[in-house]
Amino acid sequence: MRTLFILTTILLLGLSVQGQNYASSVGLSGGYVEDGFGGNATFNFHMNRYSYIQIGIFASFSNEEYAGSEIPYNVFAFQPGYYRRIAVLNTRNPISFYLGGGAIGGYEIINNGKSELPSGALITARSQFIYGGFAGGEIEFQLKENLSLAIKGQQHYHVNSDIGKMYPFIGGSIRYYLY
């Protein structure tokens, strides 16, 4: 994960030195993940009006029911990615459609780190570092010059998760353009 962070930082610095930044924005989203709630805080580095690099911090809070017990599990992850605009509707307030994907590196916490359930059953899955990738799409509704709302959907793939490899996220987002 450290290597992923270093590579992303180098990429962003390289792009900023070239002076290709069209705009930068920050976003906050919340919505549904499998069996719970998730949120994503993002920084978007717009290379031009058609594409941007997104650096995100993702968190989810879920409960899985197993053998009459609810087992809490949480995911906290760093998500660098790339999005490309595929279409725009030029109305009074433009609507843009984006597709993208990227890498995931983070930590999965199962049953708050405890291996035993209240019933005495033992959990064989363990809390651990996870990695993988994601693919997603966004529909962005421009409200003002520097403010927009978006519908966001992502499918996460965690290569080494003990809970499940596929992990969906769908929600709403607000985005503020810094310049």
Side-chain angles (χ1 to χ4, degrees), residues 54-164:
Q54 185 175 82
I55 305 298
I57 302 295
F58 177 79
S60 71
F61 308 94
S62 306
N63 288 309
E64 176 78 25
E65 190 168 324
Y66 179 76
S69 296
E70 284 205 3
I71 303 170
Y73 65 96
N74 306 317
V75 173
F76 301 97
F78 175 68
Q79 295 181 310
Y82 173 79
Y83 279 82
R84 178 95 178 148
R85 186 170 74 186
I86 57 167
V88 65
L89 296 175
N90 286 320
T91 60
R92 181 173 170 222
N93 293 330
I95 301 171
S96 299
F97 300 86
Y98 293 91
L99 288 179
I104 296 174
Y107 200 73
E108 176 179 74
I109 301 170
I110 301 170
N111 197 31
N112 299 320
K114 300 174 190 166
S115 61
E116 188 174 336
L117 295 174
S119 65
L122 293 177
I123 298 174
T124 58
R126 65 187 200 283
S127 299
Q128 64 183 341
F129 285 98
I130 56 171
Y131 62 93
F134 73 92
E138 295 182 353
I139 303 171
E140 182 180 33
F141 303 90
Q142 197 73 38
L143 300 177
K144 294 182 179 181
E145 185 176 313
N146 60 349
L147 187 66
S148 66
L149 294 177
I151 298 171
K152 182 177 192 138
Q154 293 179 334
Q155 179 64 51
H156 301 179
Y157 178 72
H158 300 146
V159 173
N160 63 331
S161 173
D162 284 343
I163 295 293

Side-chain angles (χ1 to χ4, degrees), residues 4-65:
L4 186 63
F5 177 75
I6 291 169
L7 290 174
T8 303
T9 303
I10 290 170
L11 178 64
L12 286 176
L13 287 174
L15 290 172
S16 66
V17 168
Q18 293 178 11
Q20 297 177 354
N21 190 9
Y22 181 70
S24 292
S25 61
V26 292
L28 190 60
S29 61
Y32 171 79
V33 294
E34 188 172 5
D35 303 317
F37 175 81
N40 201 355
T42 60
F43 174 78
N44 301 315
F45 183 85
H46 298 260
M47 300 180 306
N48 53 44
R49 60 181 71 200
Y50 307 107
S51 61
Y52 60 89
I53 293 174
Q54 185 175 82
I55 305 298
I57 302 295
F58 177 79
S60 71
F61 308 94
S62 306
N63 288 309
E64 176 78 25
E65 190 168 324

